[in-house]
Every structure is written in C-alpha cells, then in structure tokens.
Amino acid sequence: MASGNAIRGTRVGSGPMRWSERGDQAARQTVAYWCANGHVTEPSFAAEVQPPEVWDCPRCGQPAGPNRAAPPQPARAEPYKTHLAYVKERRSDADGEAILAEALARLHQRRN
Ligand SMILES: [Zn+2]
C-alpha cells in the first residue's frame, strides 16, 4: 500500500538510526528510477557502487531507468500500442506492396 513512503522513511542516512552511529555508517547514494508508467522509486546504494542502469519498478514490475524523459521500454508492449501497430500495418499494406515492387525493380536494374 504505502510501500513508496516506507522506502522513503527508512532511507539510510536521513533518519535517526542508532546503529549507524556506531561507526558502521557507510556513505550512500540515492538514485531515482522512473518506469514507463510514471512511477518513481528511489533505491539507495553504497556510494562506491555503480548503480544499475535498470531497476524493476516495485509498483508495476516494469523496468525503470534514471532518465525520467526516456524510461526503458516495458517488457511487454501495451495492448493499445500493439493494436495501433496492427492497424498501421493493415492500412499501409497496399503502399507497402507498391514500395516493395519499386525496390525490387530498382534492384534488378542495378544488377543488370
Ligand atoms: Zn511502475
């Protein structure tokens, strides 16, 4: 339910965590990841670690990336995209055949 808030509330280094006062406090870095559905998650890593390029979104399971404007493509295409692509393919069938015939004709001309 409130997993996002829980993660934020326990972010290492930002809260009064007693164990970290004993000397085993490590430098942390927090990286924000956005998925294609607009969810954001902010896992934290040890400062010396190179954060991964992709992080699984905990809310929808899709891959999330550090670039908000260009999140990674979802593992599965969304239904409406598939349908749109299908419609596009259907509508350009005639054009596609004409283009293909033209390309083949050019190929033959080049060979001869
Ligand atoms: Zn998500």
Side-chain angles (χ1 to χ4, degrees):
M1 283 171 105
S3 60
N5 288 337
I7 290 169
R8 247 163 233 157
T10 56
R11 186 185 296 168
V12 176
S14 66
M17 300 185 74
R18 292 198 178 254
W19 58 267
S20 68
E21 292 168 8
R22 291 186 194 165
D24 54 357
Q25 180 177 17
R28 308 289 290 183
Q29 58 176 325
T30 302
V31 183
Y33 291 91
W34 285 269
C35 76
N37 292 322
H39 304 139
V40 60
T41 182
E42 297 176 74
S44 68
F45 306 93
E48 69 270 20
V49 173
Q50 175 76 30
E53 301 254 318
V54 175
W55 190 260
D56 284 340
C57 174
R59 291 178 64 182
C60 67
Q62 299 290 358
N67 186 349
R68 184 178 199 168
Q73 288 300 309
R76 286 170 297 172
E78 291 181 32
Y80 78 88
K81 281 182 185 169
T82 303
H83 180 67
L84 185 66
Y86 179 72
V87 169
K88 272 186 181 174
E89 273 174 29
R90 293 264 308 205
R91 289 180 69 182
S92 63
D93 260 3
D95 287 345
E97 273 174 34
I99 290 164
L100 186 67
E102 210 180 291
L104 282 173
R106 260 184 227 157
L107 255 175
H108 284 297
Q109 279 174 5
R110 248 186 240 170
R111 278 183 191 166
N112 293 338

